[in-house]
Amino acid sequence: MSEHQGYYGGGGYGQPPQNPYGQGNPYQQPVPQQPGPYQQNPYQQPDPYQQNPYAQPVPPQPVPPQPVPPQPVPPQPGSPQPGSPQYAPPPQAPLQPAPARPAPTPSAPGGFPGPEPRRSRIAVLLQFTLQWIYAPLWIAALAALIALLLWAGGGGPSGPDSDAWLKVNRSFIPPRRLKAELTGRPEDWERYVAPILERRIRTAEAEYAAGGGDVAADLSRAVQVRLALRLYRGLGAAGVVRLAERHGWHGVVDSGDHDHVRLGRRFPAPAQVHAPGPQDPPAAPGTPWGPRPTRSALLLPFILVLQVVYVPVYCLLTFWAGRAEPDYWDRWGARWAVGPRAFWAELTGGAAAWDRHIRRILARDIRQDAARDKGPNRHAVAADGTFVRRIRINLATYRGAGAQQVLRIAAEHGWQLDPAYTPQPEVCVRLCRPDRATTPTATATA
C-alpha cells in the first residue's frame, strides 16, 4: 500500500488523524461556525481558490491582476488568539518596496552661504602691520598722479578702467575688525558688522524719504544695500540677512555676485495727497503750491558774484560731513545760490520771465531724459514696451511762479504729477509721463 493510501485512502494504518484546522478538508467544504465571539473564521477570505481545483475540474479562468494573498497561518499553542488585546496581525512586506531617498538639505537658510574659511593669522597680522606703511605711500602716489593729469591737460597716462585701485580702504583692516579676523568667531564678526549694517540701512531709508529707490509698476519703491565680503567673512551672508531682518529688511539672492551680499526693502505706494490740477484756480502766494517769497533785489547781485568764491570753499570744507538729507546740496543751493538764467526772473519778479525760465529748464530736462537708455534701466517696463519717464524740477526753477505753474506748463507736453512720490512742492516737483520703448530693430528700420 502506498503512503498516500495510508493517510488519505480508506485503508491503511487505521483511522485518519484529526485535522487540527477543523473537521473535514477546508478546501472542499466550509468550516462550521463556532459559538462565542468567533462566529466567523478570521482566516477565511473570499478568493478564487475557495474551492479545491483538484477535487473537480473547472474551466480555465483569467488570472486576476492582484497578487495571491498569503495563506493563513494557524494559531500556535500559547500564542495570542484573535480578538485578544495582545493580538496583532503580523506585518506584511510591500510587494515592491521603494528605496527611501534622503531629502536634500540646504547649506544655509534661505539659500545664502554661511561663513567663509578663516584667513591665516600670520597673513592678517602682516597685512595689519604693513598697511600703516603702504597706505600713506599709496595716497601720496594717487595725489601725484592726479596732479600730473591736471598739469598734462588730459594727455598724460591713463589708469585702468576699474576704480578699485583708487579705493585703498578696501585693503585696509581697521582695528575693530582685527579681533574678528584673528578669532574667527561669529559673535565677534556680528559685533563688528552690526553697526555698519545699521548705519547703511539708515542711509538707504533716508534716501528713500528723499525720493530714492527703484519704482515698480505698482508704484512701490525698492531700495537696496550691498555689503562686501571682507565685512562679514566670519559671519556669512546668512548671518547678515538675519541681522537685516531685525530692521525689516530681507536678503536678495544674486547668483552672479559671490563677493557681496545684497539686502532690500520694498516700501508701498505713498498715500494720495490732494494737489491742485493744472486747470484749477491759481494757488495763493505763500502756500505750498503758490509762489514762494523771493530774495531782496539788492542782495541778489552780491550773491551772484560772491557765490563763485564761497560755494566751492563751503563744499570743500563740509564735503566729508555726514548729511541727514540726501538732497542737502539742492536745498542749500536754492537758499544760498542763484543761477545765471534765473537771476533776471528773480530780480524782476515778472510772471513772463518766470514762465520763460520754467519752460527752458523743463525742455532741457526732457531732452536729457530722452537721451538716457529706455530699456531695463527704467525698472517698470510693461509687456508691450511701455515704461514711465520721470524728471524732477527743483525749487530754484519756480520760486517766484509757484509749483502749480510747473504743473500747467508740464501738462502741455503730456507730463503730470508723479503718483509714486509724496508731493513736496517746497523742495521740488516730480513729473512723469508714460512712453513706449523702441526696439533696436524698429530703430534701425526707421
Side-chain angles (χ1 to χ4, degrees):
M1 182 179 299
S2 64
E3 181 178 358
H4 296 280
Q5 293 178 352
Y7 285 95
Y8 300 102
Y13 297 97
Q15 296 294 334
Q18 297 294 333
N19 190 349
Y21 305 104
Q23 298 180 0
N25 193 339
Y27 300 98
Q28 295 182 0
Q29 52 184 336
V31 180
Q33 297 183 357
Q34 302 177 3
Y38 313 112
Q39 295 296 334
Q40 296 183 359
N41 190 348
Y43 304 99
Q44 182 178 359
Q45 303 179 5
D47 51 45
Y49 300 92
Q50 184 173 2
Q51 296 182 357
N52 190 351
Y54 302 101
Q56 53 184 354
V58 295
Q61 299 180 0
V63 180
Q66 65 273 11
V68 179
Q71 297 295 334
V73 180
Q76 299 297 331
S79 60
Q81 297 296 329
S84 61
Q86 296 83 6
Y87 175 78
Q92 299 180 1
L95 298 178
Q96 295 180 357
R101 297 180 179 179
T105 56
S107 58
F112 296 96
E116 297 290 332
R118 289 178 52 187
R119 298 178 57 191
S120 172
R121 294 185 177 181
I122 299 178
V124 171
L125 291 175
L126 187 62
Q127 179 180 354
F128 181 78
T129 304
L130 296 179
Q131 70 185 3
W132 306 102
I133 302 176
Y134 68 75
L137 298 178
W138 196 337
I139 295 175
L142 292 180
L145 179 59
I146 293 175
L148 179 61
L149 293 177
L150 292 177
W151 283 101
S158 59
D161 297 335
S162 176
D163 61 344
W165 61 284
L166 293 173
K167 300 180 179 179
V168 65
N169 61 315
R170 294 183 178 180
S171 60
F172 194 84
I173 300 180
R176 295 180 303 167
R177 200 174 79 205
L178 179 61
K179 180 180 179 180
E181 291 276 7
L182 294 178
T183 61
R185 294 181 297 184
E187 53 269 19
D188 294 337
W189 279 99
E190 181 174 347
R191 282 193 293 267
Y192 167 71
V193 74
I196 300 177
L197 178 62
E198 183 178 359
R199 182 171 61 253
R200 296 196 180 185
I201 286 179
R202 288 199 306 265
T203 303
E205 292 178 351
E207 292 178 354
Y208 159 77
D214 299 329
V215 183
D218 57 350
L219 301 183
S220 62
R221 280 187 289 157
V223 293
Q224 289 190 4
V225 170
R226 191 178 70 165
L227 292 180
L229 177 62
R230 66 179 185 275
L231 302 177
Y232 63 91
R233 178 184 301 274
L235 187 60
V240 177
V241 172
R242 175 176 51 84
L243 295 178
E245 290 175 352
R246 302 176 184 176
H247 303 275
W249 289 59
H250 60 85
V252 179
V253 179
D254 188 359
S255 58
D257 190 359
H258 302 284
D259 296 334
H260 297 83
V261 58
R262 295 180 181 271
L263 307 172
R265 183 177 180 181
R266 183 173 295 275
F267 294 88
Q272 297 297 328
V273 180
H274 173 71
Q279 306 301 329
D280 292 346
T287 58
W289 294 93
R292 310 292 296 180
T294 57
R295 290 166 288 192
S296 173
L298 299 177
L299 185 62
L300 283 177
F302 293 97
I303 295 178
L304 181 63
V305 175
L306 296 179
Q307 69 183 4
V308 182
V309 178
Y310 68 75
V311 169
V313 172
Y314 181 79
C315 293
L316 291 176
L317 294 179
T318 62
F319 177 77
W320 302 101
R323 305 298 180 185
E325 301 171 348
D327 56 349
Y328 170 82
W329 292 109
D330 294 331
R331 297 170 182 259
W332 186 88
R335 186 181 301 112
W336 298 103
V338 57
R341 288 176 294 186
F343 175 77
W344 181 253
E346 190 169 358
L347 181 65
T348 60
W354 279 110
D355 188 83
R356 288 193 301 269
H357 180 59
I358 294 175
R359 292 180 182 275
R360 184 166 53 246
I361 298 300
L362 184 62
R364 182 201 63 184
D365 293 349
I366 291 177
R367 288 194 305 268
Q368 292 178 356
D369 183 82
R372 301 192 189 103
D373 184 17
K374 299 184 292 294
N377 295 336
R378 294 298 178 176
H379 301 287
V381 180
D384 58 349
T386 303
F387 64 96
V388 179
R389 295 182 178 273
R390 289 182 167 90
I391 59 176
R392 165 177 169 164
I393 306 297
N394 294 325
L395 173 64
T397 304
Y398 57 87
R399 182 193 303 273
Q404 187 179 7
Q405 184 65 15
V406 178
L407 298 180
R408 289 196 184 98
I409 299 175
E412 299 175 3
H413 303 275
W415 293 77
Q416 62 182 357
L417 190 65
D418 197 343
Y421 301 89
T422 303
Q424 294 180 331
E426 67 279 359
V427 178
C428 65
V429 174
R430 296 183 180 272
L431 304 172
C432 68
R433 185 184 70 180
D435 200 350
R436 177 166 295 183
T438 57
T439 59
T441 304
T443 305
T445 305

